[in-house]
């Protein structure tokens, strides 16, 4: 195998391991969500994303809360809206 394929497979394995953790570090949260470090820092500083700072320095994120936060403000598809409308009629 060439080095590129090995590195690609290692990256996929690392992402799978992160997905199974309950508590993520700052960098792991960036990798998990695809949010840049600077934007995630802005979100935490403004209190717009759920996080913990147990000793006042390091920032940690609970994966379940991050998923809930990512999926907030859901937009229903037209088909879902039509189904709801039909059930009301």
């Amino acid at each position: 195998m060439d080095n590129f394929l090995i590195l690609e497979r290692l990256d996929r394995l690392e992402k799978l391991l992160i997905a199974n953790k309950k508590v993520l570090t700052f960098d792991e949260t960036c990798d998990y969500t695809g949010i840049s470090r600077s934007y995630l820092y802005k979100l935490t500083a403004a209190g717009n994303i759920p996080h913990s700072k147990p000793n006042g320095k390091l920032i940690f994120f609970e994966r379940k809360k991050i998923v809930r936060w990512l999926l907030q403000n859901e937009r229903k598809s037209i088909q879902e809206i039509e189904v709801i409308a039909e059930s009301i009629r």
Side-chain angles (χ1 to χ4, degrees), residues 8-56:
E8 189 175 277
R9 291 182 84 184
L10 281 173
D11 187 49
R12 278 188 281 171
L13 286 171
E14 186 178 55
K15 287 180 181 177
L16 286 172
L17 289 172
I18 288 172
N20 288 323
K21 289 180 70 176
K22 291 183 180 185
V23 176
L24 304 174
T25 65
F26 188 88
D27 289 332
E28 289 170 340
T29 303
C30 289
D31 291 339
Y32 184 73
T33 61
I35 295 173
S36 70
R37 289 179 55 86
S38 62
Y39 186 56
L40 185 58
Y41 180 75
K42 287 177 186 177
L43 290 170
T44 57
N48 292 330
I49 190 168
H51 65 282
S52 299
K53 291 177 84 172
N55 295 320

Side-chain angles (χ1 to χ4, degrees), residues 2-3 8 16 19 28 32 40 42 45 49 52 57 59-60 67 71 74-78 81 88:
D2 74 326
N3 288 343
E8 189 175 277
L16 286 172
E28 289 170 340
Y32 184 73
L40 185 58
K42 287 177 186 177
I49 190 168
S52 299
K57 185 174 182 179
I59 302 172
F60 296 97
V67 170
L71 296 176
E74 178 186 9
R75 304 292 190 249
K76 296 197 182 304
S77 69
I78 293 172
I81 293 169
I88 295 173

